[in-house]
Amino acid sequence: MTERLIYESSNGDVWTLALDPATKLPAVKHQPNARSGGRTSYTDIGKFLREGAAGPEHQALLKLIGTLLDDAGRPG
C-alpha cells in the first residue's frame, strides 16, 4: 500500500493513510513537525475518527475515503 496524504497543517504536521508496521493494517500515520520533537505515530482509523471528528485532518480523511468509494463504483 502506498501512503496517501490526508492532511498537512500550517505548522508542518503531516497525516497520511499508511500501513502500521506493527499490525500490517491500514492506519493514520502522524508525523509531527521537526520543531516539536515528537515521534511518528500510527492510530487505528476508527479510533482516529472517534477522537476528533471535527479537526481538519479528520475531515480530510473522510473526504479521502469518499473519493476512494467514488473510484470503486465506476465500471472498468
Side-chain angles (χ1 to χ4, degrees):
M1 173 181 180
T2 301
E3 290 186 14
R4 300 278 303 261
L5 178 66
I6 296 171
Y7 184 76
E8 185 169 355
S9 70
S10 59
N11 72 353
D13 283 12
V14 176
W15 289 264
T16 55
L17 184 60
L19 285 181
D20 182 328
T23 65
K24 306 298 185 222
L25 295 172
V28 175
K29 177 181 176 183
H30 175 232
Q31 296 173 280
N33 68 61
R35 292 184 310 268
S36 74
R39 304 178 85 181
T40 298
S41 63
Y42 293 84
T43 304
D44 171 81
I45 294 169
K47 181 177 179 183
F48 177 79
L49 289 172
R50 283 189 303 275
E51 290 182 346
E57 62 276 18
H58 301 90
Q59 296 301 312
L61 175 58
L62 290 171
K63 184 176 179 180
L64 174 60
I65 291 169
T67 65
L68 297 173
L69 293 173
D70 286 344
D71 291 344
R74 294 186 186 141

